[in-house]
Amino acid sequence: MCKTLYKLISYPLSVPKIAALIFKNLFEKMGSNFVEVKETTVITPAEPTPNCILSLSTLDSQFFIRFPIEYLLIYNPVPGIDRKQFSTRVKSALGQALVQFYPLAGRVQESGEGSTLQIVCQAQGVVFVEAVSGYKGPDFEEAPRYVMEWRSLLCPHVDDVLKGDPPLVVQLTWLDDGAVAIGFGFIHCVCDGIGSVEFINLFAELTRGESVSGPKPVWDRHLLNSSPSSEPKKIVCVNSMSHPEFSRVQDCCEFLARFSSETLVPTSRVFVKVQIDQLKQQANRHNRSTKYTSFEVVSAHIWRCWAKSLNMPSNQVLRLFFSVNFRNRIEPGLPDGFYGNAIALACAQTTVEDLTEKDLGYASDLIKNAKERVDGNYVKEVIELVNENRLSPDSVGVLNFTQWSRIGLERVDFGLGKPAHVLCTCTGNCCMLLPVHNQSQAIRAMLAVPTSAVEMYHHLLTKLIN
């Protein structure tokens, strides 16, 4: 029902039509954890904005990023808060934030030139939902019971970027114990994680009534397009050594079928500083001169535990994908405030046998080297490969990592204090690394694992760290 409602509100509506869509009895029962939508509104920019068509970059237009970036921020109860007043303030601030980030109030469409995308900016607006729920703050300390459990806390969601869905949805949900959930869904092709958080922080500052402190948003997507050429387009050969993310590998164990047919169980594990330091010591056991980051050792540890628990053939090729922010890795660097997709997909590749039999330092080196390969030339090659060949990464043997523990989500304050939990919706083959409240050096890892492997995965996470 939420999806049907969302399809109706994705397009410009008159006030009577909006009023007709406010279903007071729309809710989902999950024991006591129901979610009831009280209001659905289209929020437009608070001031006039340019009426124009903006081109998205080659990287923005990649097919495999036409999905939403979704965040769920949980705030502790604030005694005496006036819900009506707070909601009014949030909606007003959202309209103000859209003045600077006016493309988020537009609609994405194909440009007519191959698979390149553009955004039509006519102040069409974004969707804002207010709801109440039987959830309580402590319900979010552990993993959800099933993959889509928290979906109702971001009820309208981006379904098809090219069918009129707005680039942004926001949902404010009042929880049963007075805690507050604020959910965001951004179309990935319009902004990357860093860009979306810059918008959220601007939105939060305006809600608090404070002056804006962040960089002014910059569009400039032409900076990441391939160089124009009078030559006819040619097929660019993929170098499987320098760009293994675009190569194809043999599926030796019906990998894709397993993840599509078997029930996935969400898991959540917090790695505190002392455990991360232990992992760094393990990784340095045979090479003390190498300094590993927390991301490198935590992702290497999870990758090994995941591979061991799935019990795959020793010759199966595995790949770990993760995004690298290249804003300051290219010459010249991108301007401050650039909020488009300035990320390249790095790939660490090995076999099940090597990943599981060799030590943590081996896996950490693979990840470190994959990250270091992302420089200016690497980015240019990716742009050319995507532009000329319309390539997309393969999915066989892949575990994706998304690093959100250091992009500023833990500081987002709407006048409710800092979030007690920064969360996401769980999906298969994607491990989310999230910040932990009041523990700046801790990392929370959320990953959905097939039912047959989840017990062993939990066991290995603890066993191998000791």
Side-chain angles (χ1 to χ4, degrees):
M1 191 170 184
C2 286
K3 184 174 179 180
T4 301
L5 171 63
Y6 180 56
K7 279 299 178 187
L8 289 171
I9 61 179
S10 296
Y11 301 92
L13 300 173
S14 64
V15 173
K17 286 184 178 180
I18 293 174
L21 292 172
I22 301 173
F23 299 112
K24 292 186 178 181
N25 294 318
L26 176 62
F27 62 88
E28 179 180 352
K29 287 288 185 181
M30 291 184 289
S32 61
N33 296 335
F34 69 90
V35 175
E36 180 182 354
V37 174
K38 291 294 187 181
E39 180 185 17
T40 301
T41 311
V42 175
I43 304 293
T44 57
E47 300 173 14
T49 56
N51 191 329
C52 59
I53 296 178
L54 298 173
S55 296
L56 291 163
S57 74
T58 300
L59 296 182
D60 292 328
S61 300
Q62 295 175 91
F63 182 78
F64 79 96
I65 63 169
R66 297 181 187 183
F67 64 88
I69 304 173
E70 296 180 338
Y71 307 117
L72 183 60
L73 308 182
I74 309 297
Y75 293 90
N76 288 326
V78 176
I81 189 170
D82 185 318
R83 292 188 177 187
K84 183 176 181 180
Q85 185 181 74
F86 181 78
S87 175
T88 299
R89 195 162 70 245
V90 167
K91 287 185 283 189
S92 175
L94 181 55
Q96 295 174 53
L98 290 173
V99 174
Q100 291 194 46
F101 284 85
Y102 66 90
L104 289 176
R107 297 294 182 267
V108 176
Q109 65 179 25
E110 290 183 323
S111 66
E113 299 178 5
S115 59
T116 305
L117 301 178
Q118 61 188 19
I119 187 160
V120 179
C121 302
Q122 296 177 340
Q124 297 96 319
V126 306
V127 174
F128 177 83
V129 175
E130 186 169 2
V132 296
S133 173
Y135 280 106
K136 297 179 181 179
D139 293 334
F140 302 95
E141 293 175 0
E142 304 294 335
R145 294 169 296 176
Y146 52 92
V147 170
M148 299 302 290
E149 181 183 357
W150 295 341
R151 162 57 59 205
S152 54
L153 292 166
L154 194 57
C155 175
H157 59 283
V158 176
D159 183 55
D160 190 331
V161 68
L162 299 179
K163 291 186 177 179
D165 291 352
L168 171 64
V169 296
V170 180
Q171 180 167 327
L172 168 65
T173 305
W174 300 98
L175 306 185
D176 193 53
D177 61 349
V180 180
I182 303 181
F184 300 88
F186 293 84
I187 291 181
H188 203 331
C189 62
V190 177
C191 57
D192 62 9
I194 291 174
S196 64
V197 173
E198 287 180 354
F199 171 83
I200 292 174
N201 274 305
L202 168 68
F203 177 19
E205 288 175 338
L206 291 170
T207 302
R208 298 197 309 267
E210 298 180 3
S211 57
V212 177
S213 60
K216 184 177 179 180
V218 174
W219 187 258
D220 285 0
R221 304 303 169 94
H222 65 280
L223 297 175
L224 295 180
N225 285 334
S226 57
S227 301
S229 173
S230 58
E231 298 293 326
K233 288 188 176 181
K234 59 184 181 299
I235 301 298
V236 180
C237 294
V238 181
N239 186 328
S240 60
M241 295 296 292
S242 59
H243 291 282
E245 70 274 21
F246 293 126
S247 64
R248 298 294 182 262
V249 302
Q250 182 179 0
D251 190 344
C252 303
C253 57
E254 296 186 341
F255 180 89
L256 297 180
R258 181 175 184 181
F259 277 85
S260 62
S261 62
E262 192 170 342
T263 300
L264 300 179
V265 180
T267 69
S268 178
R269 171 65 188 262
V270 172
F271 295 88
V272 297
K273 183 180 183 302
V274 64
Q275 294 170 326
I276 295 173
D277 288 342
Q278 288 175 355
L279 289 174
K280 289 179 179 179
Q281 290 173 7
Q282 286 185 32
N284 278 124
R285 188 167 296 166
H286 301 297
N287 186 3
R288 296 185 180 278
S289 62
T290 303
K291 292 188 179 298
Y292 297 106
T293 66
S294 297
F295 169 78
E296 289 161 0
V297 296
V298 169
S299 56
H301 176 59
I302 293 172
W303 192 20
R304 297 178 75 230
C305 294
W306 176 82
K308 285 175 180 283
S309 67
L310 289 174
N311 194 28
M312 294 175 285
S314 62
N315 64 333
Q316 176 64 58
V317 174
L318 298 180
R319 288 174 290 186
L320 186 149
F321 289 167
F322 60 98
S323 296
V324 176
N325 169 29
F326 60 72
R327 284 167 170 78
N328 296 317
R329 288 172 175 252
I330 59 176
E331 293 292 340
L334 295 174
D336 289 344
F338 182 90
Y339 62 100
N341 283 281
I343 52 175
L345 194 63
C347 174
Q349 178 170 302
T350 186
T351 62
V352 168
E353 181 177 16
D354 284 346
L355 181 61
T356 58
E357 297 299 326
K358 294 183 179 181
D359 62 13
L360 184 66
Y362 170 76
S364 300
D365 280 336
L366 290 175
I367 296 167
K368 188 177 191 69
N369 293 336
K371 182 167 60 176
E372 290 176 350
R373 283 198 299 270
V374 179
D375 57 14
N377 287 331
Y378 185 96
V379 173
K380 289 179 182 178
E381 290 172 1
V382 170
I383 291 173
E384 291 298 329
L385 286 168
V386 172
N387 183 58
E388 301 293 346
N389 295 24
R390 309 303 180 197
L391 294 178
S392 290
D394 193 15
S395 299
V396 175
V398 169
L399 178 61
N400 294 284
F401 272 77
T402 298
Q403 166 68 304
W404 285 350
S405 62
R406 300 290 184 269
I407 63 174
L409 287 166
E410 71 281 1
R411 300 191 300 271
V412 176
D413 181 3
F414 285 89
L416 305 170
K418 295 179 180 179
H421 304 290
V422 175
L423 304 170
C424 59
T425 52
C426 282
T427 59
N429 292 29
C430 186
C431 182
M432 313 297 295
L433 301 182
L434 305 166
V436 179
H437 183 60
N438 286 338
Q439 297 186 61
S440 61
Q441 297 187 62
I443 296 173
R444 180 176 185 176
M446 294 187 67
L447 173 64
V449 179
T451 304
S452 60
V454 70
E455 185 176 348
M456 178 58 70
Y457 174 73
H458 278 300
H459 170 70
L460 293 170
L461 277 180
T462 302
K463 177 185 176 181
L464 296 184
I465 207 171
N466 294 319

